[in-house]
Amino acid sequence: MATNMNMQETSRLILALRAKGWDDTSINDLILYLETGDERYKPTAD
């Protein structure tokens, strides 16, 4: 069963990733990957 994140949960995720040192492009790419499954946006180990 798929569930949707609400805006508060999404905001907390973004803030947590920023606190971990992620830049906005990496955060956007992660969200795109999660929503689309497109391999272009899949996170890679740095």
Side-chain angles (χ1 to χ4, degrees):
M1 178 175 100
T3 59
N4 294 321
M5 292 178 67
N6 66 37
M7 291 302 289
Q8 185 177 29
E9 293 166 329
T10 303
S11 298
R12 288 180 180 164
L13 172 62
I14 292 168
L15 291 172
L17 291 172
R18 282 182 175 173
K20 288 288 209 177
W22 285 45
D23 61 39
D24 288 340
T25 300
S26 296
I27 293 169
N28 288 336
D29 285 350
L30 174 64
I31 293 168
L32 286 168
Y33 175 68
L34 293 173
E35 288 296 321
T36 67
D38 189 326
E39 293 290 320
R40 291 181 293 175
Y41 304 112
K42 187 174 183 177
T44 58
D46 292 337

